[in-house]
Amino acid sequence: MSRINTNVSSMVAQNALGRSNGQLQTALNRLSTGLRINAGKDDPAGLIGSENLRRDITATRRAIGNSERAAHMIATADSALGQVSNLLNDIRGLIVEAANSGVLSSEQISANQLQVDSSLEAIDRIAKTTTFQGRSLLDGSLDFQTTAGGVNGVGLDTVRDLRINVANLGTLGSLDVQVNIVNEAEQAELTVAANAFTNNALNDDLVIKLAGRDGAEVFTFQAGATVDDVVNAINLVKDATGVEAVNNNGVIEMNSISYGTKSFIDVEVISEGGSGTFAANLSSNRDTGEDVNATVNGVRANGDGNRLSINTSTLSLELTVDQGSNTTVDFTIEGGGAVIQLGPDVVSNQQARLGIQSLNTGSLGGESGRLYELRAGNGKDLFADPTNAAKIVDEVITKVVELRGRLGAFQKTTIDSNIVSLSDLLNNLTEAESSIRDADFASESAMLTRAQVLVQSGTSVLSIANQNPQNVLSLLR
């Protein structure tokens, strides 16, 4: 064909060269960026999947960072709690030393009291100054806020101690709690009928061993000892045995001081004269108390004396009611707690709301009283009542240790395991996103070489095709 107006061969060569240049540009882009998808046109479906995975990767990375930061916060609180434990142990030792009043002078006991006061001030200071990123941890600001409410809004006046450890408030931002006491806690109880005495006196010599939760004691009574003699002897050492007695119209009623299945009364008649009737009129040789039987929002609670607890995925609390109370308790958790974002999605089941109670001396305490009562001039300082002071410190030590244990368990079982789980998730998500978006350098290098060869050959072919019309000039010569 000898035409000059239209050079079809040149047009074909130009199209081929254009495609080759496009392939070369694509290969250069992928190799220079390391990505297979640089624009939506490269792979629309792949781009959608890749962007969704990148969203998940970003959220997961932040969730891991949240957990790591929460672990640091708990470690900070645990360190402060350790110092409080040391101070409480020091106070406990000072109380025991001060109880040796027959040997120590009043000046020495006063010196111990001064140390106790200083330790209490140190505990208050730790509660105020323990912070993480500017936020106080132990002053009660991270505790849950409760109000009388719930279903009927009653019973809070019968609650002696309430600790909410974890609560999921969901989208409502509050949670109604109803504690229904099915059976109240009971003391261990034994009686000695009036027939054990004649004219209010023992008929013969008697030796008994009385044991309770706190210890055991052996009593020796001579014939003629009265009911009041027996009762007074038992009550004289009730702090050592955990058993007290009363004279109810000639009947001796023995009760454990504490409540629950851990409380018991055991009476063993070691010896009794032939005319004695004490053993025959003893209601039983042993009796055990009963723990409170209750439900919290329909879930069976664990009972321990007058104390009940529950631990579910949405609510973990510990509550102590008045001795022997069977009053239903209703209240509402309206907020508070430290919200920890554990997962990549901002939903309630991927969050934990952790409560940390105040550690100041006005809040720390139990059934025996509050820690501030150990200060000089109060009713339970070293001079006034070292026995109950020791009980208060024991209860506070238990609470502080339980708080440390709970925070440690949360850090180990929830946070640390969450970090491991999210790290595995992050690896899998990153691998999946990489397989979609990242360039395969081996394949792209081969494509680059192919495109370079095609561009070079296409350029040469186009040059030849452009010279074809000049061949027509030879016909005009």
Side-chain angles (χ1 to χ4, degrees), residues 144-145 164 166-177 314-315 332-337 339 348 351 353:
F144 286 96
Q145 302 167 6
I164 304 172
V166 176
N168 186 343
L169 305 185
T171 57
L172 299 177
S174 63
L175 177 65
D176 291 336
V177 179
T314 58
L315 180 63
T332 299
I333 304 173
E334 292 191 334
V339 179
S348 59
Q351 295 176 338
R353 193 182 288 260

Side-chain angles (χ1 to χ4, degrees), residues 197-214:
F197 300 84
T198 301
N199 296 325
N200 198 37
L202 284 174
N203 296 321
D204 212 331
D205 295 344
L206 174 68
V207 179
I208 63 172
K209 184 178 80 170
L210 176 64
R213 179 174 180 174
D214 297 331

Side-chain angles (χ1 to χ4, degrees), residues 5-195:
N5 285 334
T6 302
N7 190 343
V8 176
S9 298
S10 177
M11 294 174 63
V12 172
Q14 290 177 46
N15 290 336
L17 181 59
R19 287 193 297 272
S20 297
N21 277 322
Q23 293 173 2
L24 178 62
Q25 186 62 43
T26 298
L28 289 171
N29 284 342
R30 289 177 176 177
L31 290 172
S32 62
T33 62
L35 300 175
R36 185 180 69 86
I37 303 175
N38 291 285
K41 65 183 181 63
D42 294 336
D43 185 353
L47 178 67
I48 293 173
S50 174
E51 288 298 326
N52 286 335
L53 287 170
R54 291 178 80 177
R55 174 199 63 198
D56 295 339
I57 289 170
T58 300
T60 302
R61 281 201 180 104
R62 291 298 183 184
I64 293 173
N66 288 343
S67 295
E68 291 174 342
R69 191 168 297 181
H72 295 320
M73 181 195 76
I74 291 177
T76 302
D78 181 74
S79 177
L81 288 170
Q83 293 300 317
V84 172
S85 293
N86 293 336
L87 290 169
L88 289 171
N89 283 320
D90 290 342
I91 293 174
R92 186 66 169 84
L94 292 170
I95 293 173
V96 173
E97 185 178 17
N100 193 25
S101 57
V103 176
L104 296 183
S105 65
S106 59
E107 289 79 8
Q108 290 173 305
I109 297 177
S110 296
N112 282 2
Q113 181 65 56
L114 183 60
Q115 292 184 65
V116 170
D117 292 344
S118 297
S119 296
L120 295 178
E121 291 175 3
I123 291 174
D124 283 335
R125 183 170 59 254
I126 290 173
K128 293 176 183 178
T129 60
T130 301
T131 60
F132 183 78
Q133 297 184 152
R135 184 165 190 177
S136 297
L137 301 180
L138 304 178
D139 66 345
S141 59
L142 295 182
D143 199 1
F144 286 96
Q145 302 167 6
T146 60
T147 59
V151 180
N152 300 312
V154 297
L156 271 180
D157 56 331
T158 65
V159 176
R160 304 179 68 178
D161 188 32
L162 172 62
R163 286 191 294 168
I164 304 172
N165 302 324
V166 176
N168 186 343
L169 305 185
T171 57
L172 299 177
S174 63
L175 177 65
D176 291 336
V177 179
Q178 183 179 47
V179 181
N180 181 29
I181 298 179
V182 180
N183 299 112
E184 67 272 20
E186 295 180 357
Q187 299 165 289
E189 180 179 353
L190 291 181
T191 60
V192 181
N195 291 333

Side-chain angles (χ1 to χ4, degrees), residues 81 355-357 359 399-408:
L81 288 170
I356 302 178
Q357 292 77 32
L359 245 70
K399 284 195 173 184
V400 171
V401 170
E402 287 178 350
L403 177 57
R404 291 189 70 186
R406 179 168 59 83
L407 292 177

Side-chain angles (χ1 to χ4, degrees), residues 404-425:
R404 291 189 70 186
R406 179 168 59 83
L407 292 177
F410 181 80
Q411 181 177 0
K412 181 177 181 180
T413 61
T414 301
I415 294 180
D416 290 351
S417 62
N418 186 60
I419 291 175
V420 173
S421 176
L422 290 178
S423 296
D424 291 340
L425 175 62

Side-chain angles (χ1 to χ4, degrees), residues 27 30-31 36 439-451:
R30 289 177 176 177
L31 290 172
R36 185 180 69 86
D440 182 347
F441 267 65
S443 174
E444 296 302 332
S445 297
M447 292 297 295
L448 175 64
T449 302
R450 176 178 178 276

Side-chain angles (χ1 to χ4, degrees), residues 89-383:
N89 283 320
D90 290 342
I91 293 174
R92 186 66 169 84
L94 292 170
I95 293 173
V96 173
E97 185 178 17
N100 193 25
S101 57
V103 176
L104 296 183
S105 65
S106 59
E107 289 79 8
Q108 290 173 305
I109 297 177
S110 296
N112 282 2
Q113 181 65 56
L114 183 60
Q115 292 184 65
V116 170
D117 292 344
S118 297
S119 296
L120 295 178
E121 291 175 3
I123 291 174
D124 283 335
R125 183 170 59 254
I126 290 173
K128 293 176 183 178
T129 60
T130 301
T131 60
F132 183 78
Q133 297 184 152
R135 184 165 190 177
S136 297
L137 301 180
L138 304 178
D139 66 345
S141 59
L142 295 182
D143 199 1
F144 286 96
Q145 302 167 6
T146 60
T147 59
V151 180
N152 300 312
V154 297
L156 271 180
D157 56 331
T158 65
V159 176
R160 304 179 68 178
D161 188 32
L162 172 62
R163 286 191 294 168
I164 304 172
N165 302 324
V166 176
N168 186 343
L169 305 185
T171 57
L172 299 177
S174 63
L175 177 65
D176 291 336
V177 179
Q178 183 179 47
V179 181
N180 181 29
I181 298 179
V182 180
N183 299 112
E184 67 272 20
E186 295 180 357
Q187 299 165 289
E189 180 179 353
L190 291 181
T191 60
V192 181
N195 291 333
F197 300 84
T198 301
N199 296 325
N200 198 37
L202 284 174
N203 296 321
D204 212 331
D205 295 344
L206 174 68
V207 179
I208 63 172
K209 184 178 80 170
L210 176 64
R213 179 174 180 174
D214 297 331
E217 188 73 26
V218 176
F219 299 93
T220 301
F221 300 103
Q222 301 297 318
T226 65
V227 174
D228 286 336
D229 290 336
V230 176
V231 169
N232 292 336
I234 293 174
N235 288 335
L236 185 65
V237 292
K238 65 181 180 180
D239 59 333
T241 62
V243 178
E244 60 185 358
V246 294
N247 179 358
N248 186 5
N249 295 323
V251 177
I252 298 177
E253 295 180 351
M254 292 179 284
N255 294 285
S256 60
I257 296 176
S258 57
Y259 287 70
T261 54
K262 295 179 181 177
S263 302
F264 67 93
I265 303 175
D266 188 286
V267 177
E268 178 186 352
V269 178
I270 298 176
S271 69
E272 185 176 19
S275 302
T277 56
F278 187 92
N281 286 279
L282 187 63
S283 61
S284 175
N285 292 107
R286 185 181 178 92
D287 188 51
T288 303
E290 294 292 335
D291 295 323
V292 62
N293 179 13
T295 61
V296 179
N297 288 353
V299 179
R300 177 72 177 270
N302 298 317
D304 183 8
N306 290 300
R307 178 175 172 268
L308 59 93
S309 62
I310 186 174
N311 186 12
T312 67
S313 59
T314 58
L315 180 63
S316 174
L317 63 79
E318 300 171 11
L319 182 146
T320 302
V321 297
D322 286 339
Q323 294 182 352
S325 173
N326 61 358
T327 303
T328 297
V329 179
D330 292 335
F331 62 92
T332 299
I333 304 173
E334 292 191 334
V339 179
I340 299 175
Q341 178 66 38
L342 297 172
D345 296 326
V346 187
V347 291
S348 59
N349 62 1
Q350 294 191 20
Q351 295 176 338
R353 193 182 288 260
L354 186 67
I356 302 178
Q357 292 77 32
S358 172
L359 245 70
N360 65 60
T361 56
S363 301
L364 285 175
E367 295 185 9
S368 301
R370 301 290 178 178
L371 193 59
Y372 76 90
E373 296 180 64
L374 274 66
R375 295 183 188 275
N378 287 319
K380 295 173 183 176
D381 63 11
L382 299 187
F383 286 100

